[in-house]
Amino acid sequence: MHITDFDYDLPPELIAQYPEEKRDEARLLVVDRKKDEVYHKRFFEIIDYLNSGDCLVMNDSRVLPARLFGVKRDTGAKAEFLLTRRLEGERWETMVRPGKKLKPGSTVDFCTEPGRALSAEILDYGADGTRIVEFSCDGSFHDRLEENGHIPLPPYIDRQDEALDREMYQTVYCREEGSVASPTAGLHFTEDLLDKIREKGVKTAYVTLHVGIGTFRPVKCEVVEEHQMHFEEYSVTQENADLINDTRKNGGRIISVGTTSARTLESAATDDGTVLAGHGSTGIFIYPGYRFKAVDALITNFHLPKSTLLMLVSALYDREKMIGIYEEAVRRKYRFFSYGDAMFIE
């Protein structure tokens, strides 16, 4: 397959720059794969498409305030860090700007206030232009990061992060801190909607996959099959694995909330669809031709042209039909990407 097989025209004005004021009032495009039909709804109506005995599987990863702005200690020049992965202790793999001036041996100060100081020394070069850095701080690193860090909004959101993003770029069920991007399909759920879904007899299970910076990196290979995915850490507890597996045994559907949950489930599943508890690192690349083992249906947002995420949703349905659905979403002026509208592929 060629990367252009997953292209579509998207007017820039359809890229959502802010979330809906009420999470569950985003629009919802429902894809009925059996009937080859689509329906246009609001997200709170998702409950009408869920059945007692189904199981929603959600990624409970929490977004770090991973973007830091500081100054080089020796020159006072401005510097920007984006934490991408904790290595050990307070040592991190980090993207930096300006790259040419931030070399091993450099120290960057983010706050020099006594009792609240935060700084980092660049130790070495990392993979793909990153740096290995070690932080020093007064008190708790977590507290200093919360005080100085910014929510790392995706590059297609053309603004600085604001106070509202601290809440709205997190799911209401996030728990495990470690992502640099939100599992955005889950942003549409409210506590009230989840309560109503559970009252209907739908189970809710959680997995954890910490979203890395690779989620923003474009596919550079012209031939899809040659692309190499980035690796991300995931975990599934025994309690949640049992809940998912019991759902399948009892004839319910496993409905993945988002592509990160889907990649976790497919990485943790055996060939017969049994999900195994444990920790792992996955670089699974799902594109048309892939046979899903654990995922029966998917709630997702609208994804970038030529992206691995668009390839994943196309694998669950049909590439040509999915591109046609995206083109219809453009005609109907759905809002796209992280803060945009949602799709349910059932």
Side-chain angles (χ1 to χ4, degrees), residues 26-63:
R27 296 167 72 187
L28 175 68
L29 191 155
V30 179
V31 180
D32 186 326
R33 289 180 292 170
K34 291 182 180 179
K35 296 181 180 178
D36 277 336
E37 294 182 358
V38 299
Y39 310 100
H40 304 282
K41 304 290 182 177
R42 290 287 174 178
F43 191 81
F44 58 81
E45 296 177 282
I46 188 76
I47 194 169
D48 297 332
Y49 296 89
L50 306 178
N51 304 319
S52 178
D54 288 344
C55 182
L56 287 179
V57 182
M58 298 172 278
N59 182 5
D60 64 2
S61 184
R62 182 176 180 83
V63 181

Side-chain angles (χ1 to χ4, degrees), residues 110-320:
F110 303 102
C111 180
T112 57
E113 182 181 339
R116 303 174 74 178
L118 176 65
S119 64
E121 179 184 358
I122 299 176
L123 304 179
D124 201 354
Y125 294 101
D128 299 323
T130 61
R131 302 290 188 273
I132 307 302
V133 309
E134 185 153 25
F135 285 91
S136 300
C137 65
D138 292 337
S140 161
F141 175 72
H142 179 272
D143 290 346
R144 301 293 83 81
L145 188 61
E146 286 291 329
E147 291 169 357
N148 294 279
H150 295 255
I151 293 296
L153 295 177
Y156 45 73
I157 294 181
D158 189 21
R159 61 178 176 83
Q160 295 296 316
D161 66 303
E162 301 175 20
L164 65 88
D165 298 305
R166 286 271 175 160
E167 175 186 359
M168 298 300 286
Y169 197 60
Q170 305 279 15
T171 63
V172 296
Y173 49 78
C174 63
R175 300 174 187 143
E176 303 295 332
E177 200 163 61
S179 284
V180 299
S182 178
T184 54
L187 295 180
H188 305 290
F189 287 96
T190 64
E191 292 284 9
D192 182 59
L193 179 58
L194 285 171
D195 286 342
K196 290 177 180 177
I197 286 170
R198 294 186 187 105
E199 288 170 5
K200 190 175 181 179
V202 178
K203 304 170 188 175
T204 52
Y206 299 92
V207 298
T208 303
L209 182 140
H210 293 313
V211 187
I213 197 64
T215 192
F216 298 132
R217 288 181 172 148
V219 178
K220 295 182 179 180
C221 303
E222 293 298 318
V223 178
V224 167
E225 292 85 347
E226 295 177 357
H227 176 67
Q228 296 295 313
M229 289 288 287
H230 56 284
F231 278 77
E232 294 165 316
E233 304 298 318
Y234 74 87
S235 63
V236 184
T237 67
Q238 189 63 59
E239 178 185 2
N240 283 291
D242 290 344
L243 185 58
I244 293 164
N245 293 329
D246 287 346
T247 298
R248 181 173 294 282
K249 289 176 185 177
N250 293 326
R253 294 179 299 171
I254 307 302
I255 301 170
S256 175
V257 178
T259 56
T260 58
S261 297
R263 294 180 69 238
T264 301
L265 288 168
E266 294 300 309
S267 298
T270 59
D271 288 341
D272 67 356
T274 301
V275 172
L276 303 179
H279 300 266
S281 178
T282 180
I284 189 171
F285 181 20
I286 298 174
Y287 54 88
Y290 178 85
R291 184 181 68 84
F292 284 84
K293 300 173 290 186
V295 174
D296 298 310
L298 176 69
I299 298 170
T300 186
N301 281 17
F302 292 92
H303 303 294
L304 278 72
K306 302 180 181 179
S307 66
T308 59
L309 303 182
L310 179 52
M311 295 171 193
L312 186 154
V313 299
S314 298
L316 191 61
Y317 186 33
D318 175 273
R319 183 194 64 82
E320 290 186 4

